[in-house]
Amino acid sequence: MNDGKIIDNHNRLLSYLRVSITDRCNLKCIYCNPDNLNPKLPHDHILRYEEILRIIKVGVNLGISKVRVTGGEPLVRKGVYDFLEKLIKIKGIQDVSLTTNGALLKDNIEKLKSAGIKRINVSLDTLKRKKYKEITGRDSFLQTWEGIELAQEAGLYPIKLNVVALNGINDDELKDIARLSFSHPFHIRFIEYMPIGSRFIKNESPLLAPEILKRIESLGKLNPIANETNDGPAKRFKFEGALGEIGIISSISHHFCETCNRLRLTASGQLRSCLLADYHQDLITPLRKGCSDNELANIFLKAASHKPFKHKVAVNQSIAVKGNMSSIGG
Ligand code: SAM
């Protein structure tokens, strides 16, 4: 630790905490949790909101300034809006955002806004109702799309649409999805599929960043945009004349480990230093045994000291990461 900051062994300043508040999800996306088989954690194995808030406060004292709430599906957890409100009020946090599949968005936008949420990421891999059901296992494209439009009308900005690019599944739609950036101020983020979990999709020719860009380039002149300090790993672009942006997240073909500033708190109270490595530090046990904030802070530092310099995932290779994104918190 250096001046109340978390600096790992590779001199990266860790200031971003992604917090999964539940392992439950109302969808079973083929690339994430296809059978919804994750053994659901018993309720008492999941961090309570007060526990999550205490852990975050310890992180904030160590320089965490950005928090993303994710899951599972965060909007399925009871009490989430109260939790968000308390989280946003923590002194020292500059940015709180939420990743959701949007299926429950439409009736809850005002609650999100009252809690203080200003921007959201919504996962949307297709613009076709039938395909949405094939990908997610649920016929909720229309309500999700309505939720996204209502969120835009309600002033949430930016709305980032997360699109996992999947060959043979939605590759025929990348251009149509990118075209949305002309009519809507959305930030459309194409994400390379990460072969994570035991049920990863084998694909001889995965859709990687250069190919994704190639598929959409005929839409117009695509100008690169410089990244801002608090930006994520997306390489940003904008079509000339477009309202919104395009982002490409090339976790596999061109990983961004050297600038990774993240730690992850799982719903079960484990602190992970890398999405694509199993190493974690247990926080829930010491927390429930009554440990001090100082002891929790030391666990943060220990997790940081084990942050690998690079993840070891290569194209189309199954990786030795237990569980899938829905349990780790993507
Ligand atoms: N339920 C929320 C949602 O759907 O946005 C939050 C959790 S979800 C695990 C978070 C993000 O992880 C989503 O944008 C999803 O597309 C992404 N994701 C899940 N599995 C992935 C994979 N194998 N490769 C790339 N992205 C993945």
Side-chain angles (χ1 to χ4, degrees):
M1 194 176 101
N2 193 335
D3 283 342
K5 293 189 165 59
I6 315 171
I7 297 177
D8 75 3
N9 292 345
H10 310 285
N11 219 20
R12 292 171 297 198
L13 177 70
L14 309 186
S15 57
Y16 181 12
L17 184 64
R18 295 174 72 101
V19 179
S20 170
I21 60 168
T22 178
D23 64 333
R24 267 89 168 153
C25 191
N26 45 356
L27 301 185
K28 37 183 183 175
C29 298
I30 48 172
Y31 54 80
C32 183
N33 186 17
D35 309 313
N36 218 340
L37 272 185
N38 275 348
K40 305 276 176 291
L41 292 165
H43 283 292
D44 62 337
H45 290 205
I46 291 185
L47 286 172
R48 293 188 286 272
Y49 284 133
E50 318 84 81
E51 293 172 326
I52 301 177
L53 291 167
R54 180 170 168 209
I55 291 169
I56 294 174
K57 281 181 194 156
V58 169
V60 169
N61 285 334
L62 292 169
I64 295 291
S65 59
K66 179 173 171 181
V67 174
R68 171 171 300 278
V69 176
T70 180
E73 170 50 39
L75 299 191
V76 300
R77 182 158 176 188
K78 221 170 140 195
V80 60
Y81 304 100
D82 266 3
F83 163 74
L84 288 171
E85 189 172 349
K86 287 183 183 140
L87 169 61
I88 288 164
K89 286 188 178 144
I90 294 178
K91 247 183 144 168
I93 298 190
Q94 288 157 18
D95 184 50
V96 175
S97 54
L98 175 95
T99 301
T100 171
N101 58 39
L104 296 175
L105 194 54
K106 129 176 143 63
D107 297 322
N108 293 303
I109 295 165
E110 280 317 310
K111 288 187 216 155
L112 280 176
K113 281 191 75 179
S114 318
I117 289 287
K118 296 195 169 55
R119 63 189 192 88
I120 52 173
N121 287 21
V122 185
S123 302
L124 190 74
D125 306 305
T126 174
L127 300 176
K128 296 178 183 163
R129 180 175 171 184
K130 188 163 166 268
K131 199 184 288 175
Y132 185 96
K133 188 172 176 206
E134 282 160 18
I135 294 175
T136 67
R138 194 168 150 168
D139 184 15
S140 43
F141 172 76
L142 295 177
Q143 75 197 54
T144 301
W145 181 251
E146 193 184 346
I148 293 169
E149 289 202 306
L150 289 172
Q152 186 200 324
E153 277 167 33
L156 292 183
Y157 181 82
I159 296 176
K160 295 186 180 172
L161 299 186
N162 286 354
V163 184
V164 180
L166 298 161
N167 227 349
I169 296 172
N170 64 358
D171 55 326
D172 56 330
E173 279 194 78
L174 301 188
K175 207 163 145 184
D176 291 337
I177 298 173
R179 192 180 282 116
L180 282 176
S181 72
F182 286 93
S183 51
H184 296 73
F186 300 150
H187 291 196
I188 295 157
R189 293 148 42 106
F190 293 106
I191 305 173
E192 287 178 351
Y193 168 68
M194 284 177 259
I196 181 171
S198 55
R199 295 284 317 273
F200 79 102
I201 303 172
K202 283 207 174 85
N203 199 322
E204 293 310 319
S205 47
L207 263 180
L208 302 177
E211 179 61 24
I212 297 171
L213 280 170
K214 218 161 138 198
R215 301 272 176 123
I216 63 172
E217 68 189 5
S218 63
L219 283 174
K221 187 161 187 297
L222 197 54
N223 298 315
I225 307 178
N227 275 46
E228 286 158 20
T229 341
N230 234 357
D231 273 350
K235 262 210 151 69
R236 297 168 60 194
F237 301 88
K238 190 168 185 162
F239 282 111
E240 222 157 81
L243 297 174
E245 288 185 14
I246 302 293
I248 309 277
I249 303 189
S250 51
S251 335
I252 303 298
S253 67
H254 186 78
H255 65 73
F256 31 82
C257 303
E258 64 278 9
T259 55
C260 182
N261 61 352
R262 302 166 174 201
L263 288 169
R264 290 167 191 271
L265 178 63
T266 69
S268 60
Q270 310 302 312
L271 194 60
R272 294 177 73 108
S273 52
C274 173
L275 171 64
L276 299 173
D278 268 330
Y279 177 83
H280 57 268
Q281 279 287 322
D282 178 24
L283 278 165
I284 196 168
T285 312
L287 187 91
R288 290 189 176 171
K289 281 189 176 153
C291 77
S292 67
D293 282 358
N294 223 4
E295 285 167 292
L296 291 178
N298 283 330
I299 296 174
F300 264 87
L301 299 180
K302 194 153 183 212
S305 74
H306 282 83
K307 189 170 172 71
F309 182 53
K310 275 187 190 170
H311 73 64
K312 297 195 170 56
V313 184
V315 172
N316 224 14
Q317 173 199 335
S318 168
I319 53 170
V321 173
K322 294 194 186 89
N324 51 30
M325 292 284 242
S326 67
S327 54
I328 301 166

